[in-house]
Amino acid sequence: DVERCYSLTRSVCEKLEEKHIGYSFLTNAPCADSVGRWNYIGDGLGPRHLSVILEGLGRATCTPADNFNMLLAQMEKEQSATRSFILVTPELSVENAAAIRRFEARRGQKVLVISGIAGEEAK
């Protein structure tokens, strides 16, 4: 399921590139053999930006670095109030769905959730 999420994430990034929509990237997956913690790539667009993200996805491990609430807190800290959010996750537990609803209420905007579970396209 995690590998499917990496593939879905790549597709999302490639679609944003194709549409010339700048984006930043945040992951909860540690990157094997990286110096320091690779998990946030700031705003950008273009082949170099995408390449950095794809390299990280290719080296990402299947173990989360932090709990889900910490990921949402970092997401909120790193992004401006005008940003939209796309969350790609293997599955969305009841607790995590509640955390997203609280995040949406604080931000006043929705989070698009894409589930990586085979057969589920989006929730």
Side-chain angles (χ1 to χ4, degrees):
D1 289 341
V2 173
E3 289 293 330
R4 180 167 164 76
C5 284
Y6 295 157
S7 177
L8 288 168
T9 300
R10 177 187 183 135
S11 296
V12 167
C13 291
E14 288 174 341
K15 186 55 78 173
L16 292 169
E17 290 284 339
E18 179 184 305
K19 300 280 186 183
H20 302 287
I21 299 171
Y23 60 100
S24 55
F25 176 84
L26 175 66
T27 182
N28 197 22
C31 185
D33 298 325
S34 68
V35 177
R37 186 167 171 203
W38 170 90
N39 72 330
Y40 177 73
I41 308 299
D43 271 348
L45 184 65
R48 182 164 161 38
H49 184 70
L50 180 61
S51 177
V52 170
I53 292 169
L54 295 182
E55 179 179 348
L57 285 172
R59 295 171 46 187
T61 65
C62 292
T63 317
D66 292 315
N67 71 42
F68 192 75
N69 287 318
M70 290 178 71
L71 176 68
L72 289 177
Q74 185 175 2
M75 210 164 86
E76 194 162 19
K77 181 183 111 184
E78 299 287 358
Q79 299 301 322
S80 72
T82 60
R83 283 297 180 149
S84 297
F85 298 93
I86 302 170
L87 174 70
V88 181
T89 183
E91 61 184 315
L92 193 60
S93 69
V94 171
E95 298 85 20
N96 291 349
I100 288 173
R101 284 192 301 277
R102 289 189 300 274
F103 176 87
E104 290 173 331
R106 281 192 311 276
R107 300 285 300 200
Q109 58 196 139
K110 295 298 242 172
V111 175
L112 170 62
V113 178
I114 301 172
S115 175
I117 295 176
E120 288 190 35
E121 294 308 315
K123 292 190 175 191

